[in-house]
Amino acid sequence: MSSAATFAQVSSAYHIQVILPLALRGAFTYRVPEHLVGDVEIGRRVVVPFGKRRYYAALIYKVNVNVPIGTKPKDISYVMDDLPVVTDQQLLFWEWMAEYYMSGLGPVMNTALPNALKLSSKTTIALNPAFEEYEAFTDDERMIIAQLSTHEQMEVSQLEALSSKRSIQKAISSLLKKGVVLTSEEMKPQTKPRTVERVELTPAFQKEEALNGLIEGLSNAPKQFELVMRFLEITGGDLLDGVNKPLLLQRSNATSAILRSLMDKGVFQLIEVFAESEEAHAVDGFELNEEQAQVVLTLKEQFDTKVCCLLQGVTGSGKTLVYAELIRETLAAGKQVLYLVPEIALTTQLVQRMKHLVQQEVQVYHSRFTDRERLTTWLRLLDSANPELVIGARSALFLPFHALGLIIVDEEHESSFKQHEASPLYSARDAAIWMAHAMGAKVLIGSATPSVESTYSARKGKFGFAELKKRFADIQLPSVHIVDMTKSKRADVMDASLSAELVEGIKAAMVQKQQVILFQNRRGYAPFLMCESCGWSAECVNCDVNLTFHKHFEKMLCHYCGYNYKLPKNCPQCNSAKLKVKGFGTEKIENQLETIFPEARIARMDLDTTRKKNAFQNLITAFEEGSIDILVGTQMVSKGLDFENVGLVGVLSADSLWNRPDFRAFERAYQMLTQVSGRAGRKGRRGRVLIQTFRVDHPVLEYVINHSYEGMYQHQISERQQFAYPPYTRIMQFKLMHTDAKFTKEAAVYFAGLLRERFGKRILGPEEPTIPRIRGRFIRQIFLKMEGSLSLKQSRKAVWECIDLLEGHESYRKVKFQIDVDPL
């Protein structure tokens, strides 16, 4: 038989490619049994065997594919969905992301799908109906057979509860070998979408004649009459509309039994629908000022020729109103809008504001929501192309939009838009621009302090551009003052964390009934615990970092791996009692303020105080209502929050913002200082900002004082060009990790050599990062700088060749590897 004939025979069976939720690059081929061929469709999930006795819920990626000679694909077990759970456009987006960020399709699938669509497996045991000849069995085996004869099938955990785990496992293994029992992998969704019951009139009563007759006939049933009248009141007389069951029963003061009696008469029917994420509130609209209206016109003109536009507006200039106007117009055109924010925390205030501005329901999607809530939003969008406004963090980018018209990326400069942990290490801002190209949508990125790369793209004509130069209502930008901490410390005024100037400023603000925000970009009580006798310091056993003292828990805690222990009374090294905490975090600042201002209402906003789902919402509400006088926080307080009565902002340790080995440190310091300063004086009187520093002559402070983004940009773009950093080059970062330091170093040297063979002097490293060990793994990093003339596609191909050689090397295949394209 010829090879062509053999290939034809192999290909005659029906095969599909699936994506597995594993850290694997490509898709895998499976055979579809004849009775399931009609059920397979791209985007549906199927259960497949993979590895030894493991089953996974995989996603159908391609159908009716050819199979190379010599391979024997396994059969799929069954098809899970009646309809696809992802769209064709989503799969195209996944393909691009996997290719551009050099990640497998499996990791993209894991990142994209909500947890409720990732399935768990529970092994069940059942008697084999084909087995008839019973032999001599042990006591455990007889018990299993007896149980299965009664219950038909049982989970292994249920059988283990009846005997010891070890003996049951042994008995099950024996029965499997004898063919007495069968195992199956039962895949179950973890959650169901959140739905509500909606009351609607049946078709028979959706005509006025029938309804009038019903109302007349209910004269002797006052409670049923009341329920029908309340239904008509809520729907405004629209006979095709419906009402949520709980709302109808509440408004009519009726019971479920009364509703059931009307259902028995054929008047009402219950329809299960997806629950709404947020309720819409009909309120008055808004008007743009002259500058904002002109910016809207400019952006619409730019969108005629550009997919992406940059909106730069000083803090408090009303960028949100510009967004709202464009959102309203997009929704009115029947399109969907995605509004991305860098932090989950920002959605709290923004959702309420957008409901007032666009007068429409708002969908919210981020990781703090429950699996059920996220699934509800996913399936709602999957099932409809209706105009929707979705607000969320970067994960909302993966939702199944059908009619996307506009993506807004607010505070586009924020590093939070970059995924830093699990692969793919994508930038939501950059991915949004690609997605808009693919879906025929537009992207508006906005910031008071845009990234150098975005401004460069706008000035080169790649992006459109518009600018808001004035604060709303012509309020002045805050006055910025620098506090020299070297003088404050020498004078021994208060504590090194709070200067005399800042304490006086807080007092003055409180006298004027104004609120205060204090920014310290370090949580916990103190970052160091040191023995003054021998110099010992508390360090993490898994990471090369000092442990941070958290006074509330009386624990030393690692912010990287979570390692912790109780605060020791004596030095573990010399047994001295001279242990002293050094430095200060938000918790210590809060304690000091309580001592200095005993009458003030003080609160703290950081990761420790906002872990619970509604904690951030409660803090924001309390501050807005004036129930908090002084708010101490980490960078959470700097990102886009809008408070009316903040008279003073204090930055406690500006030096930590630029003292980092990062070519973006200068830019990031300017952005952070400008953003947190922008929280002051947004309504009414001009605000005041005090920045504490030991480097009063640092050049970034001059640009912050003068509110000179242009000065900062020119300073940075000149340095970037001189030293060949983005936007003049592209960067790939490679991290190699292993628990053995020597092994990690050797593998990194080997890999860097492979890269140099292909890229020459463009390769930098290998070198240790700032923190050389995290979670027990030693790290070495290598950088690849690529000039614009170098083909990105060819570069990726060459990098994959090097990775294949590394993973195929007998000695280095166990090293953990991470690729970061365009690292931030």
Side-chain angles (χ1 to χ4, degrees):
M1 183 181 293
S2 68
S3 59
T6 303
F7 189 87
Q9 280 192 351
V10 173
S11 301
S12 63
Y14 199 91
H15 293 85
I16 60 173
Q17 281 189 340
V18 302
I19 305 172
L20 287 159
L22 301 170
L24 301 167
R25 285 190 217 169
F28 293 81
T29 303
Y30 282 83
R31 180 182 175 274
V32 181
E34 190 173 344
H35 68 284
L36 293 177
V37 169
D39 296 329
V40 297
E41 182 182 3
I42 292 174
R44 292 197 200 184
R45 291 170 299 161
V46 292
V47 176
V48 299
F50 189 83
K52 294 183 178 180
R53 299 179 185 176
R54 298 293 297 273
Y55 287 76
Y56 293 90
L59 194 80
I60 300 177
Y61 175 52
K62 293 181 180 179
V63 297
N64 199 20
V65 299
N66 291 326
V67 181
I69 301 168
T71 61
K72 293 183 179 180
K74 297 178 181 178
D75 284 4
I76 66 169
S77 297
Y78 58 90
V79 181
M80 299 201 60
D81 305 304
D82 295 328
L83 294 169
V85 296
V86 300
T87 66
D88 291 342
Q89 287 180 318
Q90 282 178 292
L91 288 175
L92 286 173
F93 182 48
W94 292 11
E95 287 175 347
W96 171 81
M97 183 165 284
E99 179 185 7
Y100 185 84
Y101 290 104
M102 303 193 70
S103 166
L105 284 167
V108 176
M109 174 182 170
N110 262 338
T111 299
L113 288 182
N115 287 335
L117 291 178
K118 303 170 193 175
L119 308 175
S120 60
S121 65
K122 293 186 177 181
T123 303
T124 58
I125 307 296
L127 287 174
N128 183 356
F131 189 84
E132 297 179 354
E133 183 180 352
Y134 289 91
E135 306 172 352
F137 297 113
T138 66
D139 291 343
D140 281 331
E141 289 172 349
R142 276 196 295 271
M143 183 271 289
I144 293 171
I145 293 170
Q147 291 291 330
L148 293 178
S149 298
T150 305
H151 296 93
E152 190 172 330
Q153 66 178 25
M154 295 179 69
E155 293 180 4
V156 172
S157 58
Q158 293 174 302
L159 294 169
E160 288 174 345
L162 302 174
S163 184
S164 72
K165 292 184 178 180
R166 180 174 296 178
S167 62
I168 283 294
Q169 299 253 352
K170 183 178 179 181
I172 291 173
S173 178
S174 173
L175 291 173
L176 282 168
K177 291 178 181 178
K178 294 173 182 177
V180 177
V181 298
L182 302 173
T183 65
S184 64
E185 293 291 334
E186 184 181 356
M187 311 297 289
K188 295 181 179 179
Q190 295 175 342
T191 58
K192 293 182 179 180
R194 185 164 58 95
T195 58
V196 294
E197 289 182 312
R198 193 168 180 81
V199 181
E200 295 182 359
L201 289 168
T202 60
F205 286 92
Q206 289 176 359
K207 298 177 181 179
E208 289 191 16
E209 299 84 2
L211 188 60
N212 290 335
L214 169 69
I215 293 172
E216 291 177 7
L218 292 177
S219 56
N220 295 324
K223 292 185 177 180
Q224 293 183 19
F225 175 83
E226 176 70 13
L227 192 148
V228 172
M229 297 308 293
R230 288 291 140 315
F231 175 88
L232 295 174
E233 177 187 288
I234 296 169
T235 60
D238 187 346
L239 304 187
L240 299 179
D241 201 357
V243 180
N244 286 356
K245 178 182 173 182
L247 176 63
L248 178 60
L249 295 179
Q250 180 188 12
R251 290 280 186 89
S252 61
N253 198 27
T255 63
S256 295
I258 296 170
L259 175 61
R260 217 167 19 247
S261 64
L262 285 166
M263 291 172 62
D264 292 340
K265 292 179 180 180
V267 178
F268 288 123
Q269 58 186 350
L270 284 180
I271 306 295
E272 196 172 64
V273 298
F274 295 140
E276 309 292 348
S277 301
E278 301 285 344
E279 292 182 9
H281 295 274
V283 296
D284 294 335
F286 62 94
E287 288 187 9
L288 303 175
N289 63 27
E290 185 177 346
E291 186 184 30
Q292 291 165 343
Q294 182 57 50
V295 161
V296 170
L297 290 174
T298 300
L299 289 171
K300 289 164 70 173
E301 290 174 0
Q302 298 270 0
F303 278 138
D304 288 339
T305 57
K306 309 287 186 185
V307 170
C308 179
C309 287
L310 169 63
L311 171 60
Q312 182 176 352
V314 297
T315 55
S317 59
K319 292 186 293 295
T320 304
L321 295 181
V322 173
Y323 298 156
E325 179 63 24
L326 293 171
I327 289 169
R328 290 203 305 188
E329 294 183 10
T330 305
L331 295 174
K335 296 288 188 177
Q336 297 168 329
V337 178
L338 173 60
Y339 192 142
L340 292 177
V341 292
E343 293 282 357
I344 292 170
L346 291 180
T347 61
T348 302
Q349 195 179 44
L350 182 61
V351 166
Q352 298 301 322
R353 192 173 184 190
M354 275 298 156
K355 284 192 294 188
H356 286 274
L357 292 175
V358 303
Q359 302 182 32
Q360 179 165 323
E361 176 190 337
V362 176
Q363 301 296 316
V364 185
Y365 190 87
H366 55 64
S367 59
R368 286 280 182 95
F369 273 25
T370 64
D371 290 346
R372 189 178 185 185
E373 288 170 322
R374 297 180 81 194
L375 178 62
T376 298
T377 302
W378 182 283
L379 295 182
R380 176 189 176 93
L381 289 167
L382 185 68
D383 193 46
S384 170
N386 291 334
E388 299 273 11
L389 170 58
V390 179
I391 296 177
R394 63 176 182 263
S395 60
L397 198 64
F398 295 99
L399 284 166
F401 295 99
H402 289 285
L404 190 61
L406 176 66
I407 304 174
I408 292 171
V409 184
D410 196 16
E411 309 295 348
E412 66 86 26
H413 66 278
E414 283 286 353
S415 60
S416 302
F417 280 123
K418 175 77 171 181
Q419 173 118 313
H420 291 287
E421 292 292 331
S423 179
L425 304 182
Y426 70 97
S427 161
R429 178 197 62 197
D430 298 344
I433 295 171
W434 186 92
M435 191 165 77
H437 271 284
M439 299 183 71
K442 303 296 181 183
V443 180
L444 179 58
I445 60 177
S447 174
T449 55
S451 65
V452 168
E453 289 89 339
S454 293
T455 299
Y456 180 82
S457 292
R459 295 188 180 186
K460 289 294 182 180
K462 183 179 178 182
F463 296 166
F465 180 76
E467 186 175 13
L468 290 168
K469 297 181 179 180
K470 297 179 182 178
R471 274 191 157 188
F472 193 71
D474 289 326
I475 295 171
Q476 286 183 292
L477 289 166
S479 60
V480 181
H481 305 273
I482 306 301
V483 178
D484 188 347
M485 292 301 288
T486 58
K487 295 179 180 178
S488 293
K489 191 173 183 181
R490 280 199 300 270
D492 195 27
V493 179
M494 303 306 298
D495 186 283
S497 58
L498 295 170
S499 64
E501 293 93 331
L502 183 56
V503 171
E504 290 303 315
I506 295 172
K507 288 179 181 178
M510 294 184 66
V511 167
Q512 297 176 34
K513 305 297 183 184
Q514 292 181 316
Q515 293 169 298
V516 177
I517 290 178
L518 298 181
F519 168 65
Q520 167 63 7
N521 204 23
R522 186 185 291 273
R523 63 187 174 99
Y525 188 84
F528 302 104
L529 175 67
M530 181 175 289
C531 174
E532 294 186 325
S533 293
C534 70
W536 171 88
S537 62
E539 297 179 350
C540 179
V541 298
N542 303 312
C543 312
D544 289 337
V545 295
N546 289 299
L547 297 178
T548 299
F549 174 49
H550 286 250
K551 188 175 182 179
H552 177 75
F553 306 109
E554 286 295 316
K555 282 187 175 182
M556 304 301 301
L557 175 66
C558 175
H559 290 171
Y560 286 87
C561 71
Y563 172 76
N564 65 87
Y565 57 75
K566 285 285 186 182
L567 179 71
K569 295 181 179 179
N570 298 89
C571 173
Q573 185 165 288
C574 71
N575 205 35
S576 168
K578 294 183 178 180
L579 290 176
K580 186 174 182 180
V581 292
K582 295 182 180 293
F584 55 92
T586 52
E587 191 179 9
K588 186 175 182 180
I589 300 301
E590 182 185 26
N591 285 178
Q592 291 174 346
L593 289 169
E594 288 170 351
T595 302
I596 302 170
F597 303 101
E599 303 300 320
R601 295 164 297 179
I602 301 164
R604 176 162 49 95
M605 183 188 292
D606 56 26
L607 187 61
D608 297 326
T609 61
T610 58
R611 291 183 187 277
K612 293 183 180 179
K613 181 178 178 181
N614 296 318
F616 189 86
Q617 169 73 64
N618 296 337
L619 271 174
I620 292 296
T621 301
F623 198 73
E624 284 180 326
E625 293 175 349
S627 301
I628 297 172
D629 299 314
I630 306 173
L631 181 64
V632 184
T634 56
Q635 58 183 337
M636 285 184 179
V637 302
S638 72
K639 298 183 178 182
L641 296 174
D642 187 10
F643 300 117
E644 294 189 1
N645 194 37
V646 177
L648 174 68
V649 167
V651 179
L652 302 184
S653 182
D655 305 80
S656 64
L657 298 177
W658 58 69
N659 286 335
R660 297 185 301 150
D662 180 0
F663 75 90
R664 289 192 176 91
F666 191 102
E667 175 191 9
R668 294 264 171 80
Y670 173 85
Q671 290 167 338
M672 184 65 73
L673 291 172
T674 299
Q675 290 287 341
V676 73
S677 299
R679 303 313 108 202
R682 297 175 73 89
K683 303 287 190 300
R685 288 172 290 185
R686 187 183 190 190
R688 188 164 179 250
V689 181
L690 292 176
I691 299 176
Q692 298 183 163
T693 177
F694 290 90
R695 284 281 312 277
V696 295
D697 59 340
H698 197 284
V700 75
L701 294 173
E702 179 184 349
Y703 300 128
V704 174
I705 293 170
N706 295 322
H707 306 287
S708 176
Y709 174 85
E710 182 64 24
M712 186 281 297
Y713 174 77
Q714 293 299 338
H715 178 282
Q716 283 297 286
I717 204 69
S718 175
E719 285 197 351
R720 302 281 182 91
Q721 186 173 24
Q722 182 181 354
F723 296 105
Y725 277 112
Y728 296 100
T729 58
R730 309 194 76 148
I731 293 178
M732 281 189 195
Q733 181 189 50
F734 309 97
K735 284 186 179 180
L736 287 81
M737 295 161 279
H738 196 271
T739 53
D740 186 302
K742 183 180 178 182
F743 179 81
T744 305
K745 180 179 180 180
E746 291 174 353
V749 169
Y750 171 74
F751 184 66
L754 295 175
L755 290 171
R756 281 198 176 89
E757 290 176 5
R758 292 158 177 80
F759 296 102
K761 294 182 179 180
R762 299 183 183 95
I763 300 299
L764 304 176
E767 61 185 22
E768 285 188 342
T770 307
I771 303 174
R773 182 173 60 110
I774 296 178
R775 300 187 184 97
R777 290 193 177 100
F778 293 90
I779 306 169
R780 291 279 169 158
Q781 59 187 15
I782 302 165
F783 291 91
L784 165 60
K785 274 187 178 181
M786 299 175 288
E787 65 275 16
S789 60
L790 193 65
S791 167
L792 189 58
K793 184 177 181 180
Q794 292 300 318
S795 297
R796 282 197 295 260
K797 182 180 178 182
V799 169
W800 278 126
E801 290 173 357
C802 296
I803 294 171
D804 288 337
L805 290 171
L806 179 71
E807 293 178 343
H809 195 285
E810 187 175 347
S811 300
Y812 303 135
R813 63 179 58 178
K814 292 184 179 180
V815 70
K816 186 175 176 62
F817 195 86
Q818 186 184 76
I819 309 173
D820 192 353
V821 179
D822 303 330
L824 289 179

